[in-house]
Amino acid sequence: MTDTSEANKERNREIARNEEAKQVTGSVRVSTWAVAVVVIVGGLLFTLGWLALR
């Protein structure tokens, strides 16, 4: 019975590691998109401001 319990614990640990890896990947993906959007919006605002001052 302890073999089954240990197997379940190891399986749960593996699932937890996989879920953590998925979360990290998702967070990096969201962060990359957020930085890209900020750069684009910032560039547009800078350009509009620069054109308005000319």
Side-chain angles (χ1 to χ4, degrees):
M1 185 147 178
T2 58
D3 291 337
T4 304
S5 178
E6 288 299 319
N8 283 338
K9 286 181 183 178
E10 185 57 38
R11 181 175 177 272
N12 289 340
R13 286 185 196 113
E14 185 64 30
I15 290 170
R17 283 191 290 266
N18 289 341
E19 287 297 320
E20 183 180 5
K22 286 180 185 179
Q23 284 184 339
V24 169
T25 302
S27 296
V28 169
R29 186 175 297 130
V30 169
S31 297
T32 302
W33 275 105
V35 169
V37 167
V38 167
V39 167
I40 290 169
V41 170
L44 287 171
L45 291 175
F46 175 79
T47 303
L48 290 173
W50 181 71
L51 288 173
L53 292 175
R54 285 187 78 206

